[in-house]
Amino acid sequence: MADPTQPGAVAPPPERFNIAQHLLAANAGRAAKAAFVDDQGSLGYGPLDERTRRFAAGLRALGLKREERVLLLMLDTTDWPVAFLGAMYAGLVPVAVNTLLTADDYAYMLEHSRAQAVLVSGALLPAVNAAMTKSDHEVQKVVVSRPVAPLHPSEVEFEAFTAAHAPLARPAATGADDPAFWLYSSGSTGRPKGTVHSHANPYWTAELYGKAVLQLRESDVCFSAAKLFFAYGLGNGLTFPMSVGATTLLMPERPTPEAVFKRWTGGVGGLKPTIFYGAPTGYAGMLAHPALPKKGEVAMRLASSAGEALPAELGERFTAHYGVQIIDGIGSTEMLHIFLSNQPGRVRYGTTGWPVPGYEIELRGEGGAAVPDGEPGDLYIHGPSAAMMYWGNRTKTRETFQGGWTKSGDKYVRNEDGSYTYSGRSDDMLKVSGIYVSPFEVEATLVQHPAVLEAAVIGVPDAEGLTKTKAFVVLKPGGHADEAELKAFVKDRLAPYKYPRQIEFVADLPKTATGKIQRFKLREREGKA
């Protein structure tokens, strides 16, 4: 077996390694170049370096110690990379969390991470204050980016906090395998899991995927609909572009089609993205939108997709409209970024492509043995960017991280050409008439109908207690289709036992913040019906 910690010609990071210092040093010769651009202005690589080291010094001045956690709850602005990199430069561990959660969620995360400080956007400060009221855990300081109201004496404004300290001369003497940051996994049930990543992990994802697969270059302008607090967005919008000296457009608001189109067409800072990172739900909404920009209005040379498998029909329509390929891949919070992917010039829509060089893939059956090509199996990954653990959760850590292999929780089929096709989450697979049915396959077929925008498929028991498929369908604005028409449409394209026995038309589908369909909520709803 090849050693995935020595992938190809990529040299591993040295034993003493600080990812923040590494990314800043890589751009020492680009002081005047824009690193990050948001609605309020641009932050060059030179000022980014200085502000990061000032912020690191400020955190140290609070008396925070190596490997203590700081909660990072911020919108995507130029302050976000300063806070994230500054914490790691100081040897602290930023815990980047979803900006769309509740005060109860943040109270849990504060207590679970034992965060000693909170770095928060002004618009999100009320949620933090409510969380701290609910929690017995106390923090030493709250640093507020772009406040929208007068601050309490226990709170300090981000700019003032940064400017008050001389730049830290040297980074903390961290090691490649030391904890660098946490991301909370968006589990479909139960509490989110605190996923601990090392300083080396973002180095590997940038080298093996950002550079080697996406072939990012210094001249690129990157724009990610997925936010920086997601593993996908963190690579897209921070570690990947910084690894090559590119520029990133940041967007604090929700990635609606209108907000995305504004950036595509140069409406922020006059910059047009050359690389766009999205998710299937977003692509579907944009392609159905009447204000979809024309090919000549954008500058994209490449698009990326992750979060859920990309239906072939969406990829084909996007390429037909823009002449640009969507590089669909799968990653996870546990692996930090994408490990199985299509590649520029080698795209097979309807599949998730081939293993990213440096990663190994195995599909295993219920007994743990490898499954033959053409049969669904549980996806396992072996690669250098795997998380260290779930904090304080030994049981789940052992279930997921197994002797160098990471169990993804996804079902896949390996094709004859070595590509892989998504079959669904392991807990979403259905057995109909004794045969496994992939909900995703049925959903991907339904969205090929010209009237269908989105679909979600679950299993429901019939009168005899046998599992049958039910589809929830969202129609496009102005689209028309009835149940009989859609059933016949699926029957014409898939094996007869796979067509949905029931179809319910709905206004929208429950989703996570990353755009993944939450089928478990549909199952819960059916159980209560």
Side-chain angles (χ1 to χ4, degrees):
M1 178 187 298
D3 180 1
T5 64
Q6 300 293 333
V10 178
E15 184 176 344
R16 179 167 169 169
F17 183 74
N18 183 291
I19 185 62
Q21 190 274 338
H22 169 76
L23 292 172
L24 293 173
N27 295 287
R30 302 185 180 95
K33 184 179 180 186
F36 297 95
V37 178
D38 66 16
D39 294 14
Q40 294 190 21
S42 173
L43 180 63
Y45 274 108
L48 171 65
D49 182 285
E50 180 180 341
R51 283 169 59 81
T52 294
R53 293 188 294 115
R54 286 182 180 275
F55 196 81
L59 293 174
R60 286 269 190 92
L62 294 177
L64 301 183
K65 298 178 177 60
R66 281 276 301 274
E67 297 187 14
E68 287 187 328
R69 271 77 64 192
V70 293
L71 195 78
L72 197 166
L73 174 61
M74 293 172 61
L75 301 173
D76 280 19
T77 70
T78 56
D79 286 346
W80 204 105
V82 171
F84 184 73
L85 295 169
M88 293 190 298
Y89 196 90
L92 303 173
V93 178
V95 180
V97 298
N98 190 329
T99 58
L100 303 174
L101 302 180
T102 66
D104 285 339
D105 293 316
Y106 299 136
Y108 167 76
M109 291 171 176
L110 281 169
E111 293 178 355
H112 182 247
S113 68
R114 306 187 199 106
Q116 296 300 300
V118 175
L119 318 176
V120 60
S121 291
L124 303 172
L125 184 57
V128 164
N129 287 332
M132 290 193 291
T133 300
K134 292 171 178 284
S135 170
D136 292 331
H137 178 73
E138 294 184 3
V139 300
Q140 296 186 40
K141 185 64 72 175
V142 176
V143 182
V144 184
S145 166
R146 304 184 183 182
V148 296
L151 298 181
H152 187 270
S154 65
E155 301 159 350
V156 62
E157 193 268 331
F158 193 98
E159 285 289 334
F161 179 79
T162 304
H165 301 277
L168 197 62
R170 293 187 303 276
T174 52
D177 290 335
D178 286 352
F181 60 95
W182 292 17
L183 301 171
Y184 275 96
S185 65
S186 54
S188 58
T189 57
R191 290 290 195 182
K193 299 179 288 294
T195 310
V196 182
H197 280 285
S198 71
H199 279 267
N201 285 359
Y203 168 86
W204 285 118
T205 58
E207 294 294 322
L208 298 179
Y209 195 72
K211 292 181 181 179
V213 174
L214 295 182
Q215 300 169 28
L216 295 186
R217 45 195 186 232
E218 184 180 1
S219 58
D220 278 320
V221 176
C222 300
F223 172 46
S224 176
K227 301 300 184 182
L228 290 169
F229 60 76
F230 294 124
Y232 180 50
L234 181 62
N236 300 342
L238 197 152
T239 56
F240 290 5
M242 284 193 71
S243 73
V244 297
T247 298
T248 297
L249 279 178
L250 295 176
M251 180 175 71
E253 70 261 42
R254 289 178 56 247
T256 61
E258 296 88 348
V260 171
F261 297 160
K262 178 182 176 182
R263 274 85 186 169
W264 279 6
T265 55
V268 175
L271 293 174
K272 293 185 178 183
T274 59
I275 309 289
F276 174 70
Y277 307 86
T281 299
Y283 285 112
M286 290 186 290
L287 287 169
H289 199 281
L292 180 70
K294 297 180 175 63
K295 179 179 179 179
E297 298 178 275
V298 304
M300 277 181 289
R301 68 175 183 85
L302 194 68
S304 167
S305 180
E308 279 202 310
L310 180 76
E313 184 262 351
L314 284 180
E316 290 161 356
R317 284 171 54 206
F318 188 89
T319 299
H321 186 82
Y322 287 116
V324 170
Q325 294 178 323
I326 299 180
I327 308 303
D328 184 34
I330 179 175
S332 68
T333 305
E334 290 75 11
M335 294 302 297
L336 189 56
H337 213 272
I338 290 171
F339 47 79
L340 183 64
S341 181
N342 285 274
Q343 301 166 15
R346 193 189 185 195
V347 170
R348 182 182 169 190
Y349 285 134
T351 78
T352 316
W354 296 262
V356 172
Y359 294 86
E360 293 178 82
I361 302 296
E362 281 190 6
L363 299 184
R364 302 178 187 175
E366 293 179 2
V371 300
D373 288 0
E375 291 188 16
D378 291 309
L379 179 67
Y380 285 76
I381 313 102
H382 194 292
S385 61
M388 303 170 74
M389 67 177 125
Y390 296 130
W391 182 264
N393 195 333
R394 193 175 188 186
T395 299
K396 288 293 185 184
T397 295
R398 286 177 166 178
E399 288 177 6
T400 300
F401 305 104
Q402 302 179 13
W405 290 88
T406 301
K407 183 178 181 180
S408 74
D410 297 290
K411 290 273 190 182
Y412 264 84
V413 171
R414 187 178 187 272
N415 305 308
E416 290 184 1
D417 64 355
S419 65
Y420 288 77
T421 299
Y422 182 65
S423 293
R425 292 291 293 172
S426 297
D427 52 4
D428 286 333
M429 290 292 287
L430 306 173
K431 220 166 192 180
V432 179
S433 302
I435 306 172
Y436 273 118
V437 173
S438 162
F440 176 77
E441 183 182 22
V442 182
E443 293 161 4
T445 303
L446 282 165
V447 298
Q448 293 176 30
H449 189 283
V452 174
L453 177 64
E454 295 179 314
V457 172
I458 64 170
V460 295
D462 64 11
E464 286 74 39
L466 300 174
T467 298
K468 303 298 181 187
T469 49
K470 176 175 181 176
F472 295 83
V473 171
V474 179
L475 294 177
K476 295 176 181 176
H480 299 284
D482 59 26
E483 185 172 1
E485 180 182 350
L486 293 183
K487 285 180 177 179
F489 185 82
V490 175
K491 282 182 182 179
D492 285 345
R493 288 159 176 80
L494 297 179
Y497 66 88
K498 295 183 180 180
Y499 84 93
R501 303 312 198 271
Q502 301 176 49
I503 295 179
E504 181 178 337
F505 295 95
V506 294
D508 52 40
L509 297 172
K511 299 186 185 77
T512 68
T514 56
K516 296 179 182 177
I517 295 171
Q518 294 176 307
R519 297 177 186 84
F520 78 95
K521 289 191 175 180
L522 297 173
R523 290 194 291 266
E524 288 175 354
R525 197 185 86 174
E526 287 298 297
K528 295 174 184 176

